[in-house]
Coordinates of all heavy atoms in Angstrom, one line a residue:
E266 N -175.3 173.0 133.9 CA -175.7 171.5 133.8 C -174.9 170.8 134.9 O -174.2 171.3 135.7 CB -175.2 171.0 132.4 CG -176.3 170.6 131.4 CD -176.9 169.2 131.8 OE1 -176.5 168.7 132.8 OE2 -177.7 168.7 131.0
N308 N -169.9 168.1 131.3 CA -171.3 168.3 131.3 C -171.8 167.6 132.5 O -171.7 168.1 133.6 CB -171.9 167.7 130.0 CG -173.4 167.9 129.8 OD1 -174.1 168.2 130.8 ND2 -173.8 167.9 128.6
N353 N -172.6 162.8 128.0 CA -173.5 163.9 128.4 C -173.9 163.7 129.9 O -173.9 164.7 130.6 CB -174.7 163.9 127.5 CG -175.6 165.1 127.7 OD1 -176.3 165.2 128.8 ND2 -175.7 166.0 126.8
D354 N -174.3 162.5 130.2 CA -174.8 162.3 131.6 C -174.5 160.9 132.0 O -174.3 160.0 131.2 CB -176.3 162.7 131.7 CG -176.6 163.4 133.0 OD1 -175.8 163.3 134.0 OD2 -177.7 164.0 133.1
N410 N -179.9 161.4 126.6 CA -179.4 162.5 127.4 C -179.4 162.1 128.9 O -178.6 161.3 129.3 CB -180.3 163.8 127.1 CG -179.5 165.0 127.4 OD1 -178.9 165.2 128.4 ND2 -179.6 166.0 126.4
D465 N -184.2 166.9 129.9 CA -182.7 166.7 129.8 C -182.3 165.8 131.0 O -182.7 164.7 131.0 CB -182.1 168.1 129.8 CG -180.6 168.1 129.4 OD1 -179.9 167.1 129.6 OD2 -180.1 169.1 128.9
G466 N -181.6 166.4 132.0 CA -181.2 165.6 133.1 C -182.4 165.4 134.1 O -183.2 166.3 134.2
Ligands
MG262 MG1 -177.8 166.6 129.6

Side-chain angles (χ1 to χ4, degrees):
E266 246 282 9
N308 187 339
N353 187 291
D354 218 339
N410 205 313
D465 191 334

